[in-house]
Amino acid sequence: MMNIKKSPVDKAVDAVLYFALAVVALMTLYPFWTQVVVSLDGAGANSSAYASGFILYPAELTFASYQLALRFDALWSGYGNTLLRTGIGVVLSLLFTALTAYPLAKADLPFNRGFTAVILFTMLFGGGTIPNYLLIRELGLFNTVWALVLPGMISAFNVLIMRNFFRALPEELEESARVDGAGYARIFTLIALPLSKPALATIALWVGVGHWNAWFDSMIYITDPNKQVLQVVLRKIIIQNNMTDINAVIQNLGTKTVFSGRQLQATVIMFSIIPMLLVYPFIQKYFVKGVLIGAIKG
């Protein structure tokens, strides 16, 4: 393989690009690292993590705040509710998105353009918060996970991505399957879906992150504190600065460790981030392929 010698101008351009990427990476990772350091810093409000403008490492390493968070019942109930919401939301979204997109990928579908136009219309116009609230109330879905899952179960954007991916699949595969006597349902489950793993993984990541970070709909439709999702619990601690429940846990433990409010906030933030950090590496390999094929084709 022939090596191409770069000119001084090319080397200068590469240096500028690498520097820019390094700056962007630092700006992206530094807020995350800040929360890690603050959550592990046992020096409290007197720590250098609070005094200095640039945080590199904890002054006194301790896991006491994590031990406290593990005994915080509201955090675990929020975790469970969020996991339930995310799991059901991802499964139903993938199922109904694929079922909607597959017929639209067929050029011989009657009124194909009309159905597509209706789906595109929903991307431009929506009913709004009040009509959605009235609908959820009339359906009797308050304080249920279905109030959080059903309204956003099918995304028009995800349907179009999935439709374009299905269109990119070789037609010869389906034609040979039909010759062998397979129907549309068999072709969909045994051929189309297995070949669409990149698109399905990409949509699963989008939907999963969306459900994991969602809080506004839970705040509106869920009035039972035991059914609130994790993000609402975090909002109560971080934005509203309501530490009453955590302080009660501290009193019950009888610990003499002094916790700062910022340290506890950083700790619960880390608890909320960990699941996404564990899941993303397994989906990342499908992400780029799924986005490019689904967006370009069709």
Side-chain angles (χ1 to χ4, degrees):
M1 184 175 181
M2 184 176 61
N3 294 326
I4 300 176
K5 187 176 181 179
K6 292 185 178 181
S7 65
V9 176
D10 293 334
K11 293 181 179 179
V13 172
D14 290 343
V16 172
L17 291 176
Y18 285 132
F19 177 77
L21 290 175
V23 172
V24 173
L26 179 62
M27 294 174 61
T28 303
L29 295 176
Y30 180 69
F32 172 77
W33 179 247
T34 300
Q35 300 304 315
V36 174
V37 172
V38 173
S39 66
L40 295 174
D41 200 331
N46 297 323
S47 169
S48 59
Y50 298 87
S52 64
F54 195 77
I55 305 173
L56 292 178
Y57 55 88
E60 297 179 14
L61 182 63
T62 178
F63 292 92
S65 61
Y66 286 88
Q67 294 173 357
L68 173 64
L70 291 174
R71 297 175 178 268
F72 186 31
D73 293 338
L75 186 67
W76 288 112
S77 65
Y79 244 114
N81 295 329
T82 300
L83 287 173
L84 178 64
R85 170 187 183 161
T86 303
I88 295 176
V90 169
V91 171
L92 291 182
S93 182
L94 289 179
L95 175 61
F96 286 94
T97 297
L99 288 173
T100 305
Y102 184 70
L104 294 176
K106 307 304 176 186
D108 56 349
L109 175 70
F111 309 109
N112 191 316
R113 292 188 176 183
F115 291 133
T116 304
V118 171
I119 292 175
L120 288 173
F121 182 84
T122 63
M123 298 180 64
L124 304 176
F125 301 96
T129 303
I130 295 178
N132 289 337
Y133 179 88
L134 296 177
L135 177 62
I136 296 297
R137 186 185 67 179
E138 293 301 320
L139 291 175
L141 299 179
F142 273 9
N143 287 320
T144 66
V145 68
W146 305 112
L148 311 178
V149 171
L150 294 181
M153 186 173 62
I154 299 180
S155 166
F157 179 78
N158 291 342
V159 168
L160 296 179
I161 292 290
M162 202 71 212
R163 182 202 65 170
N164 294 340
F165 198 96
F166 283 138
R167 282 185 175 181
L169 298 178
E171 295 182 2
E172 292 79 6
L173 293 175
E174 294 194 12
E175 291 175 356
S176 61
R178 290 196 194 96
V179 171
D180 293 336
Y184 280 112
R186 191 177 181 87
I187 294 174
F188 174 72
T189 54
L190 299 182
I191 297 178
L193 286 183
L195 293 176
S196 302
K197 288 181 180 179
L200 292 173
T202 301
I203 294 175
L205 179 62
W206 289 342
V207 175
V209 172
H211 279 296
W212 188 267
N213 292 329
W215 60 273
F216 185 69
D217 53 354
S218 179
M219 189 176 65
I220 294 177
Y221 304 135
I222 306 297
T223 58
D224 186 350
N226 296 323
K227 295 182 179 180
Q228 287 290 4
V229 297
L230 179 62
Q231 301 303 328
V232 175
V233 177
L234 298 183
R235 181 179 182 275
K236 183 179 178 181
I237 297 173
I238 298 171
I239 298 180
Q240 297 179 347
N241 200 26
N242 189 335
M243 308 291 289
T244 304
D245 296 336
I246 292 184
N247 290 333
V249 175
I250 295 176
Q251 292 178 359
N252 291 334
L253 290 177
T255 179
K256 296 181 180 180
T257 305
V258 178
F259 299 97
S260 65
R262 186 179 175 187
Q263 181 184 14
L264 294 175
Q265 291 173 355
T267 302
V268 296
I269 288 175
M270 291 306 303
F271 266 103
S272 69
I273 295 175
I274 289 174
M276 290 295 104
L277 293 178
L278 297 177
V279 171
Y280 184 78
F282 298 99
I283 302 179
Q284 188 267 343
K285 63 180 180 179
Y286 298 109
F287 187 75
V288 175
K289 182 179 179 181
V291 172
L292 287 180
I293 297 180
I296 295 175
K297 297 292 183 178

